[in-house]
Amino acid sequence: MESNMQNLSLSGNAPPNKLGLLPLAAKKQRNTEKGTKVLVETNIRRLTIAPNQPIYKYAVEVKYFYSKADGSEIAVEMSKSVKKGTEHDNDKTRCQKVYNEAIKRYDALKTGGPFFYDRQASLYTLSKLKNENISFDVVEGISKRPNFKKAQFVLKKVDESFQSTSNDIKKTVHPCPANADKTLLEALNIVVSGPAYENKNVITIGSCVHYLIDTAGVDINFKNYQEGYLYSGVGASKAVKTLEGSDRKEPSLFMTTESELACKKRTRTVFFTVKTTLFHPDYYPLLEVMKSYKGFATNLKANSFAAQRIEKAFVGLDVVLDYGPHKGLQEDGVVMNIRKFGTTASETTFELGGKNTTVFNYFKTKYGITLKYPDLFTVEAKGKKGKIHIPVEVLLLCPSQTVTNDQMINNEQADMIKLSAAKPQVRKATTDCIVKKVGLASNNIYNFIKVEEPIKVEGMVLNKPKIVFAENKMAVLNDPRAKFPTDFNRAGKYYIAKELTNWEIVFVQGEDMPGLDKILVEEMKNNGMKAAMPATSTIVRGDLEPIFKKAKDAKRQLLFFVIKSRYNYHQQIKALEQQYDLLTQEVRAETAEKVPRQSQTRLNIVNKTNMKLGGLNYVIGSESFNKPGRLIVGFETSQRSGGNPDLNETFRQHVKDACISLSETYRPNFTIIASSKTHNERLYKSDKGQILNLEPGTVIDHTIVSPVYNEWYHASAAARQGTTKATKFTLIFTTQPAEPMWNLQQLTNDLCYDHQIVFHPVGLPVPLFIAGRYSQRGAMVLAANDGPKYKDGQVDLQETNKELGYGGKKLFETRFNA
């Protein structure tokens, strides 16, 4: 067991191959033709920097040396860590410790400056070091690991090609992403945080997120939690980037600032973060945290209901060993990731020295530790040679870990959404207040940088598309009676109404709803569908497969499940749908109860049914759609910056290959567009001094976009609560360089209206929205079938797609995931 844990946090991964040597689509002129002008306020601040200021960059190398069991040494470079999460943060902490020792030893790092160290491989300063080559070893006060030998620090000047001055703004951008010199931006991202680092009322997480300790004067609600000992706090994040500015030929530096939520533990003065979610306490005993959860007991078994509930809150978290030789090591300790809860320490056995022993006996024999809670479930983690089971009482939670949506077992997610879903005028005022309090809005940073007030830009509100139902009846947009200007009502029957004559409603035994079938059939007929009354069946003791077997034999078109939210049948239903090639639709029983009295609920349900059957509720009339011989390929990415080399260099060729595979003569004009919502830019409509949400259809394609890529921000949907977040689009590639920007913008705008189930635009073009749902469905089917198929130790894609895919099924011809 011990060898299974050794050196787990000392391994690394090779960096990926370099991409980005091909240019993205050539820059187009902004849209000044189509739409209505509107004034837009932002959270983006221009940075004015002193001219001719050199920025000196020095390479830092930090290595830690450890002894191995055979007496030899192993060197691990911490300054180029490719690890993730806790282990990456620990490597940065190790670098900082050694750098602090360098400051003590060398006057060159005490005078001049100021100095800005990124806690990895780069040191920036505004004055040249008197000693540009520093090297030393240090042993004491650096690491608590028993096999630690020494740390080595090396500092040297980088090549001249990597030096920068404040005049190098143009070099930071390039049509070929890999050719952009990011040195100046890397330096400025650290420099502008200088006042925040020096602020005694601020704690910094990572390198760019700063949180207030004393939140007096910040008008925001706070939330307390008993389970997990958490409560919320506030801070701000920032990012320095080069944008187009007022002159495309002379790009400018800007800083985006966004307010953040954070979380504190009530029983300690530890500060940890939350970004519209929560974080766990740092280096707190795992057992003590678990004790705060309802139903916990020190003899709890892993298969009990209470343990399964608690397990959901902890799976995926990093913990550090805290016993025997690992005691008190914290960031120097061995990090493990919780995979699940396992059998108790007294029940779990493994082979040691040719004999079986229990985890309880192992700790007693090996370390002289008599576990206090041998009848409590253990934590299962991945060891060097397979899975291992570790007692909860010998583990500490690693710091600054976000609570994912999957780990939220109460109302945390809803609470965080409410807490962060501030109205636009509140969000902007709060962000501006926090930015100033943490020190990011200084008008004089080291006599080098001035941070201006957030800029205002001109936007365009695009024209709305036509929504056409059967018999060419058009929906009314901008209806003054509508709550939102882009909401529309059904103007007629479905454009393509399908027939449903052989279907079945499925309830849980004893929970049927008499009369529901008749109401649904009537609603279908009102919308133009031909519908017959369904058969009815019930789920007995949670056994779903007999339902599918009988329905398959009866050649049902659709299984319509009505199930209360407390039942967790969704994944199994969708896996059986794929297996039996039988269309399904699920409605929560709580929603179905509203059907008799809520016309909109009835319509939404039947809208989905018609789409699942391959119908079409309405069509979009758009001048941007009528372009024959054209293929548009869209991607939703998590990349913040627009220059996505993978899409341009890898997927572009895949698109060409796919076209050839369809037909040797199929050579359409094609365009690749990337979209992302992971950016930090916030945009607001400014109307006679009021801060409002952007009107759906608003686009901004100048000043706050890349000076070398075609980018635009697009607010397509109305914010039902809180503040609108625009989608950022980037034109990656096109075979039609003369196509105007407004046409691409109108295309993405009008596609957002094509959801078909809800009668208003959504936040992404619907093909991307649907693609995301298909991705989720694929992951769900894989999980339900214990992952992909393997052959000779490798994933067998052909067999996986054959057995778990949809390509050869009737479902493929429907919108089964509607």
Side-chain angles (χ1 to χ4, degrees):
M1 181 173 179
E2 189 64 30
S3 62
N4 219 355
M5 301 177 185
Q6 292 300 319
N7 299 324
L8 289 177
S9 60
L10 300 181
S11 60
N13 298 309
N17 293 329
K18 187 175 182 179
L19 294 171
L21 297 176
L22 293 179
L24 271 65
K27 187 80 170 174
K28 297 175 180 286
Q29 292 297 316
R30 59 174 289 201
N31 171 21
T32 58
E33 306 174 45
K34 301 286 186 173
T36 304
K37 294 180 180 179
V38 64
L39 184 61
V40 176
E41 297 211 23
T42 74
N43 65 341
I44 305 170
R45 300 164 182 264
R46 189 189 305 272
L47 301 181
T48 303
I49 60 177
N52 306 314
Q53 170 65 59
I55 299 175
Y56 299 93
K57 181 178 181 179
Y58 294 89
V60 175
E61 182 182 87
V62 176
K63 289 183 178 179
Y64 275 44
F65 292 80
Y66 300 92
S67 60
K68 298 173 68 175
D70 61 4
S72 62
E73 286 188 355
I74 180 174
V76 181
E77 184 171 355
M78 304 298 177
S79 48
K80 290 186 179 178
S81 174
V82 294
K83 299 171 188 171
K84 297 180 180 179
T86 299
E87 293 187 286
H88 181 70
D89 290 340
N90 287 348
D91 284 350
K92 292 175 76 172
T93 299
R94 294 177 183 119
C95 290
Q96 186 66 50
K97 281 186 176 181
V98 181
Y99 176 71
N100 291 343
E101 184 66 24
I103 295 174
K104 295 177 185 177
R105 297 186 179 203
Y106 292 91
D107 290 338
L109 297 174
K110 296 177 183 177
T111 60
F115 305 99
F116 307 97
Y117 179 43
D118 69 354
R119 300 202 298 162
Q120 282 282 268
S122 299
L123 174 70
Y124 301 95
T125 177
L126 301 183
S127 61
K128 190 174 183 179
L129 292 180
K130 295 179 181 178
N131 182 355
E132 294 189 302
N133 288 282
I134 295 174
S135 178
F136 68 91
D137 293 347
V138 59
V139 175
E140 300 297 330
I142 298 298
S143 177
K144 301 174 186 176
R145 279 203 177 190
N147 64 333
F148 172 76
K149 301 296 290 184
K150 67 177 181 179
Q152 185 179 82
F153 179 89
V154 177
L155 180 146
K156 58 185 178 181
K157 184 181 178 181
V158 300
D159 294 338
E160 290 295 333
S161 60
F162 291 97
Q163 298 296 353
S164 183
T165 78
S166 56
N167 302 330
D168 290 339
I169 297 175
K170 279 188 176 181
K171 294 181 181 179
T172 63
V173 291
H174 196 280
C176 303
N179 291 338
D181 182 354
K182 301 293 185 180
T183 303
L184 179 61
L185 294 181
E186 292 168 359
L188 292 179
N189 262 301
I190 299 175
V191 172
V192 296
S193 290
Y197 291 140
E198 297 168 1
N199 190 334
K200 302 297 183 182
N201 189 38
V202 171
I203 290 180
T204 299
I205 302 296
S207 59
C208 66
V209 188
H210 311 284
Y211 294 92
L212 292 170
I213 299 172
D214 181 0
T215 58
V218 179
D219 186 15
I220 192 171
N221 294 322
F222 295 91
K223 191 72 180 176
N224 290 284
Y225 298 91
Q226 178 60 37
E227 291 190 312
Y229 306 129
L230 306 174
Y231 72 95
S232 57
V234 293
S237 63
K238 63 96 181 66
V240 175
K241 56 191 69 179
T242 304
L243 301 177
E244 186 177 284
S246 56
D247 183 354
R248 181 185 293 189
K249 295 181 181 179
E250 294 293 335
S252 302
L253 293 169
F254 291 85
M255 179 175 68
T256 301
T257 52
E258 173 66 334
S259 57
E260 304 282 338
L261 294 177
C263 217
K264 286 184 181 178
K265 186 168 187 309
R266 291 198 300 271
T267 56
R268 299 175 66 193
T269 57
V270 173
F271 198 96
F272 44 99
T273 66
V274 158
K275 187 172 182 180
T276 65
T277 180
L278 302 172
F279 274 64
H280 289 284
D282 55 344
Y283 295 124
Y284 204 66
L286 183 63
L287 179 66
E288 295 304 313
V289 178
M290 288 187 175
K291 285 180 179 179
S292 71
Y293 286 84
K294 296 175 184 176
F296 179 83
T298 53
N299 61 350
L300 204 59
K301 300 295 189 289
N303 60 359
S304 66
F305 176 80
Q308 290 173 352
R309 174 180 176 269
I310 298 170
E311 179 185 58
K312 188 174 183 289
F314 286 88
V315 168
L317 288 177
D318 288 335
V319 290
V320 63
L321 307 183
D322 191 48
Y323 64 88
H326 310 285
K327 190 73 176 178
L329 297 184
Q330 295 192 353
E331 69 266 15
D332 289 317
V334 175
V335 176
M336 314 293 286
N337 184 266
I338 299 176
R339 300 173 68 178
K340 60 187 291 188
F341 290 171
T343 51
T344 68
S346 59
E347 296 170 329
T348 305
T349 61
F350 63 98
E351 188 174 317
L352 181 68
K355 297 181 180 179
N356 277 344
T357 186
T358 65
V359 170
F360 176 82
N361 288 334
Y362 170 80
F363 273 83
K364 189 172 184 179
T365 303
K366 179 77 174 180
Y367 303 109
I369 298 174
T370 301
L371 296 174
K372 295 180 181 178
Y373 309 109
D375 297 323
L376 175 64
F377 56 76
T378 56
V379 162
E380 182 181 305
K382 183 180 180 180
K384 198 173 183 180
K385 299 179 181 178
K387 66 181 181 181
I388 55 177
H389 291 83
I390 313 169
V392 172
E393 63 190 89
V394 299
L395 296 171
L396 302 177
L397 269 180
C398 293
S400 301
Q401 298 186 75
T402 59
V403 181
T404 66
N405 290 343
D406 289 339
Q407 294 167 345
M408 294 181 180
I409 62 175
N410 293 308
N411 297 318
E412 298 98 334
Q413 185 176 6
D415 290 342
M416 288 296 102
I417 290 173
K418 290 177 182 178
L419 202 59
S420 59
K423 293 293 184 183
Q425 67 274 18
V426 175
R427 173 178 283 275
K428 188 174 190 308
T430 301
T431 299
D432 291 346
C433 174
I434 296 170
V435 166
K436 291 176 181 177
K437 280 187 172 290
V438 301
L440 291 177
S442 174
N443 61 6
N444 186 359
I445 301 177
Y446 307 115
N447 295 315
F448 177 42
I449 301 174
K450 178 182 178 181
V451 182
E452 299 181 4
E453 290 298 307
I455 66 169
K456 300 178 183 181
V457 295
E458 181 183 87
M460 299 289 279
V461 181
L462 300 174
N463 297 325
K464 296 173 178 59
K466 296 178 180 178
I467 311 293
V468 184
F469 287 85
E471 299 177 351
N472 207 33
K473 293 182 178 179
M474 287 190 287
V476 177
L477 289 167
N478 287 327
D479 188 339
R481 296 170 296 177
K483 186 176 181 181
F484 298 97
T486 47
D487 289 2
F488 57 91
N489 292 318
R490 181 172 62 88
K493 294 182 178 181
Y494 293 146
Y495 193 84
I496 299 176
K498 300 301 287 186
E499 185 176 300
L500 185 59
T501 57
N502 184 9
W503 62 300
E504 186 175 313
I505 295 186
V506 184
F507 301 99
V508 173
Q509 188 176 37
E511 297 180 2
D512 56 320
M513 295 184 182
L516 177 64
D517 51 0
K518 184 177 180 180
I519 296 172
L520 291 176
V521 168
E522 187 66 27
E523 183 68 26
M524 292 175 190
K525 292 179 178 178
N526 289 341
N527 287 277
M529 296 177 66
K530 293 180 180 180
M533 290 292 287
T536 303
S537 61
T538 57
I539 301 170
V540 180
R541 292 188 293 276
D543 193 359
L544 295 172
E545 192 154 13
I547 301 289
F548 281 84
K549 287 180 178 178
K550 292 178 182 178
K552 187 71 174 178
D553 291 339
K555 299 181 179 180
R556 302 291 191 211
Q557 293 172 269
L558 175 72
L559 282 177
F560 190 99
F561 289 86
V562 181
I563 302 172
K564 290 183 178 179
S565 57
R566 70 169 181 262
Y567 298 110
N568 190 23
Y569 293 156
H570 180 68
Q571 179 170 295
Q572 189 180 358
I573 287 172
K574 296 310 175 185
L576 290 169
E577 175 187 66
Q578 186 275 339
Q579 179 183 338
Y580 284 90
D581 197 12
L582 184 56
L583 196 64
T584 67
Q585 182 173 346
E586 290 178 73
V587 175
R588 296 291 189 191
E590 294 86 345
T591 301
E593 289 172 352
K594 303 173 185 177
V595 165
R597 63 182 186 275
Q598 292 186 359
S599 59
Q600 189 61 54
T601 300
R602 293 195 297 272
L603 180 62
N604 288 347
I605 291 172
V606 175
N607 284 348
K608 180 177 287 192
T609 305
N610 191 54
M611 292 301 298
K612 279 179 173 287
L613 292 168
L616 193 63
N617 297 341
Y618 55 83
V619 294
I620 302 292
S622 169
E623 59 181 317
S624 295
F625 290 1
N626 301 323
K627 310 289 181 183
R630 182 175 68 159
L631 175 65
I632 306 292
V633 181
F635 290 87
E636 183 185 4
T637 77
S638 58
Q639 187 168 322
R640 292 177 183 267
S641 60
N644 194 313
D646 290 292
L647 299 183
N648 190 37
E649 297 172 33
T650 304
F651 287 95
R652 184 172 83 182
Q653 186 59 47
H654 291 338
V655 173
K656 291 181 179 179
D657 294 342
C659 291
I660 293 172
S661 70
L662 293 173
S663 170
E664 286 292 336
T665 60
Y666 183 49
R667 297 291 189 277
N669 284 305
F670 75 91
T671 298
I672 299 177
I673 301 174
S675 69
S676 175
K677 282 201 169 186
T678 58
H679 59 85
N680 286 334
E681 284 75 12
R682 287 284 184 172
L683 309 174
Y684 313 88
K685 179 181 179 180
S686 179
D687 186 16
K688 299 177 183 178
Q690 287 186 301
I691 301 297
L692 306 171
N693 271 320
L694 293 177
E695 183 178 338
T698 302
V699 294
I700 301 96
D701 61 1
H702 63 96
T703 307
I704 59 173
V705 299
S706 167
V708 292
Y709 309 142
N710 295 287
E711 294 181 337
W712 67 96
Y713 292 95
H714 175 215
S716 59
R720 305 285 152 169
Q721 66 173 3
T723 304
T724 300
K725 185 165 188 180
T727 303
K728 184 179 182 179
F729 290 93
T730 305
L731 178 61
I732 302 294
F733 174 81
T734 183
T735 58
Q736 297 177 293
E739 182 175 21
M741 280 287 281
W742 71 260
N743 195 60
L744 295 172
Q745 294 166 1
Q746 193 72 54
L747 173 79
T748 52
N749 179 73
D750 294 353
L751 283 173
C752 293
Y753 284 79
D754 203 22
H755 188 272
Q756 299 283 332
I757 297 169
V758 297
F759 286 178
H760 57 73
V762 293
L764 281 172
V766 169
L768 288 180
F769 185 91
I770 294 174
R773 292 297 178 89
Y774 277 120
S775 177
Q776 293 170 1
R777 177 64 58 83
M780 187 181 299
V781 171
L782 283 175
N785 289 278
D786 297 322
K789 304 299 178 181
Y790 285 85
K791 184 179 181 180
D792 300 327
Q794 301 292 323
V795 174
D796 188 333
L797 290 177
Q798 184 174 355
E799 189 64 22
T800 298
N801 284 322
K802 179 182 176 181
E803 290 196 24
L804 305 180
Y806 294 84
K809 296 183 178 292
K810 294 179 181 179
L811 288 172
F812 185 74
E813 300 174 2
T814 70
R815 186 175 161 185
F816 59 86
N817 73 335

